[in-house]
């Protein structure tokens, strides 16, 4: 009986180590991706949107950060931006093989929009369910 408990403990511990190792590997890949994106940041995308950069949280949520500029009411743009983002997300994931790390590992994504003062206007949270 004692040997069975010992074996179960070893298997459980091994699985936990593998899970932690996999999570760390995913984090490192996502961080590398964010660093590559940040080489070109900040980038003016259009008259009202600047890409500020990307980062990864400790829980492997990939975050894109944007700033809304040149508009007297930036909050009014957020509804249209969210609708467009959600409408295009599945197609973007089908068409872009570089996003496979997200689909293969169930990574969530946050699109964070701020105003010119840095105040968060909207966070659009995308889960694997949204892009699969």
């Amino acid at each position: 009986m004692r040997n069975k408990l010992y074996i179960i403990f070893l298997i459980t511990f091994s699985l936990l180590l593998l899970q932690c190792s996999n999570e760390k590997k995913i984090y490192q890949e996502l961080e590398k991706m964010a660093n590559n994106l940040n080489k070109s940041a900040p980038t003016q995308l259009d008259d009202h949107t600047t890409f500020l950069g990307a980062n990864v949280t400790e829980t492997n949520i990939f975050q894109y950060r944007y700033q809304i500029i040149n508009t007297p009411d930036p909050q009014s743009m957020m509804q249209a931006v969210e609708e467009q983002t959600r409408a295009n997300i599945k197609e973007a994931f089908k068409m872009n093989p570089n996003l496979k790390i997200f689909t293969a590992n169930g990574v969530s994504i946050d699109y964070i929009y701020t105003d010119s003062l840095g105040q968060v206007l909207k966070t659009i949270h995308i889960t694997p369910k949204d892009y699969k």
Side-chain angles (χ1 to χ4, degrees), residues 4-69:
K4 287 182 183 180
L5 288 174
Y6 181 71
I7 290 171
I8 291 172
F9 172 76
L10 284 177
I11 291 171
T12 304
F13 185 71
S14 297
L15 290 173
L16 286 173
L17 285 178
L18 286 174
Q19 179 66 25
C20 290
S21 175
N22 189 41
E23 290 291 317
K24 187 173 183 175
K25 182 179 178 188
I26 294 167
Y27 178 84
Q28 289 171 340
E29 287 295 315
L30 292 172
E31 191 173 53
K32 181 178 174 184
M33 189 175 173
N35 289 336
N36 286 335
L37 287 169
N38 290 335
K39 290 177 184 175
S40 63
T43 301
Q44 189 76 31
L45 300 177
D46 60 34
D47 290 342
H48 302 289
T49 313
T50 302
F51 172 67
L52 298 176
N55 63 291
V56 183
T57 68
E58 292 176 0
T59 57
N60 288 342
I61 296 174
F62 198 85
Q63 296 180 324
Y64 294 97
R65 293 176 285 106
Y66 298 93
Q67 185 178 58
I68 302 299
I69 57 172

Side-chain angles (χ1 to χ4, degrees), residues 54-104:
N55 63 291
V56 183
T57 68
E58 292 176 0
T59 57
N60 288 342
I61 296 174
F62 198 85
Q63 296 180 324
Y64 294 97
R65 293 176 285 106
Y66 298 93
Q67 185 178 58
I68 302 299
I69 57 172
N70 301 328
T71 181
D73 186 15
Q75 190 64 45
S76 65
M77 293 179 61
M78 291 296 89
Q79 181 66 29
V81 168
E82 182 169 8
E83 288 173 9
Q84 182 179 7
T85 299
R86 292 193 183 281
N88 296 332
I89 200 75
K90 284 184 182 182
E91 191 65 27
F93 276 84
K94 287 179 190 173
M95 302 297 289
N96 191 340
N98 294 330
L99 300 177
K100 186 175 181 173
I101 187 170
F102 294 101
T103 56

